[in-house]
Amino acid sequence: MKVTVVGAGAVGASCAEYIAIKNFASEVVVLDIKEGFAEGKAMDLMQTASLNGFDTKIVGSTNDYSKTAGSDIAVITSGIPRKPGMTREELIGINAGIVKTVSENLIKHSPNVILIVVSNPMDTMTYLVHKTTGLPKNRIIGMGGALDSARFKYRLAEALEAPISDVDGMVIGGHSDTGMVPLTAHATRNSVKVSEFLSEERLDQVAADTKVGGATLTKLLGTSAWYAPGAAVSGLVQAIACDQKKMFPCSTLLEGEYGLNDLCIGVPVILGKNGIEKIVEIELSDAEKAKMQESAAGVSKTNGLLEL
Ligand SMILES: NC(=O)c1ccc[n+]([C@@H]2O[C@H](COP(=O)([O-])OP(=O)(O)OC[C@H]3O[C@@H](n4cnc5c(N)ncnc54)[C@H](O)[C@@H]3O)[C@@H](O)[C@H]2O)c1
């Protein structure tokens, strides 16, 4: 199992580290355009191997895609992150060009690769990869919902004063401050609906805090977060690499599912060795359907800014 991570920045390096620590891949290639940067990150990470007890080989590359050849999975984190006060959508101009070139280079050297798109605005970048590469839809996966759901569970546990392992919940919809749809009515604490424990107002607050989860961290850190994004990506990579058939909300091309067409947006999917093996259609209330429609309209508007 060979995994490439493009972008050795905050998210790329965190993702490479989690993949290595989980010890399921034989090789992780980290590639960056900045001279020597990926080699440095790879060497630093390799020097944690004996300390953290993993055998995954981590290799750095300055824009040399021949080192990525034969990758089973590639993660695209290259591009600029947002600064405090910015929306993810504002990154489209620079990141679209980067994501297009990077995905083409990856496919040239690994024709069977499964791509995981992380760069923002992620739903639109995932759509761009569909439009420009012609890869089958099961091999193009946008990562956003796995992270947003982890943030949702963090906020739910905080409100419930319960351990996070007691809590389950999912965020679907667009990966944006306004587009996320935290499914509060479906969230549970040990299979009991969280509405049994929390008032409607408190649940609304949990949903609101979840939606601005990324912006809250960007304000604190001065740039976008990396530990939880890296961990979320590594979870998707592991589900594919180990054919786990795990369900995550991921951005995928919809062709009528959830009444939506011709866009990539977060919905629950089953991940296994073929990438997205199934889109899971869950029953939504009228209010949830309306939020999903509104979210989709936002994503489509951003897609309209692409020069395809
Ligand atoms: N989808 C999500 O949930 C999620 C979460 C966090 C961050 N992000 C996004 O991920 C991206 C990366 O964030 P970050 O914090 O790691 O940024 P960063 O600036 O720390 O790292 C980005 C790296 O990409 C490299 N790069 C730029 N152009 C490249 C190219 N053409 N080829 C190879 N490498 C190139 C840069 O040199 C840099 O090292 C941003 O767009 C950010 O918004 C997405």
Side-chain angles (χ1 to χ4, degrees):
M1 180 54 55
K2 178 168 173 175
V3 182
T4 288
V5 179
V6 180
V11 176
S14 161
C15 160
E17 180 177 13
Y18 285 120
I19 292 170
I21 281 184
K22 292 179 183 178
N23 216 10
F24 60 83
S26 47
E27 185 177 357
V28 177
V29 178
V30 185
L31 181 146
D32 203 284
I33 203 163
K34 226 187 288 173
E35 188 67 43
F37 192 55
E39 286 85 343
K41 288 280 177 106
M43 195 184 291
D44 193 9
L45 282 172
M46 275 309 282
Q47 290 169 2
T48 70
S50 61
L51 298 162
N52 285 331
F54 63 80
D55 295 319
T56 306
K57 183 177 161 199
I58 308 168
V59 175
S61 165
T62 302
N63 222 26
D64 175 4
Y65 281 84
S66 67
K67 290 197 179 157
T68 71
S71 292
D72 300 286
I73 304 168
V75 181
I76 304 177
T77 76
S78 45
I80 53 164
R82 56 181 171 161
K83 294 268 169 258
M86 281 175 94
T87 66
R88 295 175 178 92
E89 289 77 4
E90 287 173 71
L91 307 172
I92 190 170
I94 295 177
N95 287 356
I98 295 175
V99 169
K100 182 173 182 293
T101 314
V102 165
S103 53
E104 286 167 356
N105 282 331
L106 285 169
I107 294 165
K108 212 181 290 169
H109 291 83
S110 305
N112 298 320
V113 72
I114 293 173
L115 294 177
I116 300 180
V117 181
V118 181
S119 309
N120 275 317
M122 182 279 294
D123 297 295
T124 294
M125 294 300 106
T126 308
Y127 183 72
L128 172 71
V129 173
H130 271 290
K131 286 289 176 192
T132 55
T133 64
L135 280 192
K137 61 182 270 187
N138 58 303
R139 286 169 48 200
I140 304 174
I141 304 161
M143 196 296 289
L147 168 65
D148 302 333
S149 300
R151 289 177 171 159
F152 183 37
K153 287 180 236 184
Y154 164 78
R155 289 298 185 190
L156 279 170
E158 180 184 59
L160 290 162
E161 296 181 36
I164 293 184
S165 57
D166 250 18
V167 174
D168 201 8
M170 190 163 58
V171 177
I172 60 172
H175 179 61
S176 72
D177 297 347
T178 51
M180 286 178 212
V181 184
L183 295 176
T184 46
H186 300 249
T188 60
R189 175 186 188 174
N190 271 351
S191 75
V192 179
K193 289 197 167 170
V194 292
S195 53
E196 299 269 339
F197 304 96
L198 299 172
S199 67
E200 205 177 317
E201 295 71 45
R202 188 68 183 93
L203 272 174
D204 286 347
Q205 189 59 50
V206 164
D209 290 344
T210 300
K211 288 167 76 169
V212 296
T216 304
L217 284 162
T218 302
K219 196 169 163 206
L220 291 167
L221 297 166
T223 183
S224 99
W226 55 89
Y227 294 120
V233 177
S234 77
L236 305 195
V237 172
Q238 186 173 20
I240 299 165
C242 303
D243 195 23
Q244 287 177 324
K245 319 285 186 201
K246 266 177 93 95
M247 185 167 81
F248 289 97
C250 290
S251 191
T252 183
L253 186 72
L254 295 186
E255 295 167 303
E257 298 91 347
Y258 290 91
L260 300 171
N261 267 297
D262 194 32
L263 85 167
C264 295
I265 195 165
V267 294
V269 302
I270 304 297
L271 291 185
K273 65 177 185 308
N274 301 308
I276 294 180
E277 302 201 338
K278 189 176 188 300
I279 294 175
V280 180
E281 281 200 81
I282 55 168
E283 190 66 33
L284 297 179
S285 67
D286 287 346
E288 288 162 342
K289 278 183 199 156
K291 284 183 191 161
M292 207 47 191
Q293 289 288 344
E294 198 182 316
S295 179
V299 172
S300 293
K301 192 169 162 213
T302 310
N303 291 350
L305 301 172
L306 290 172
E307 287 164 16
L308 292 168

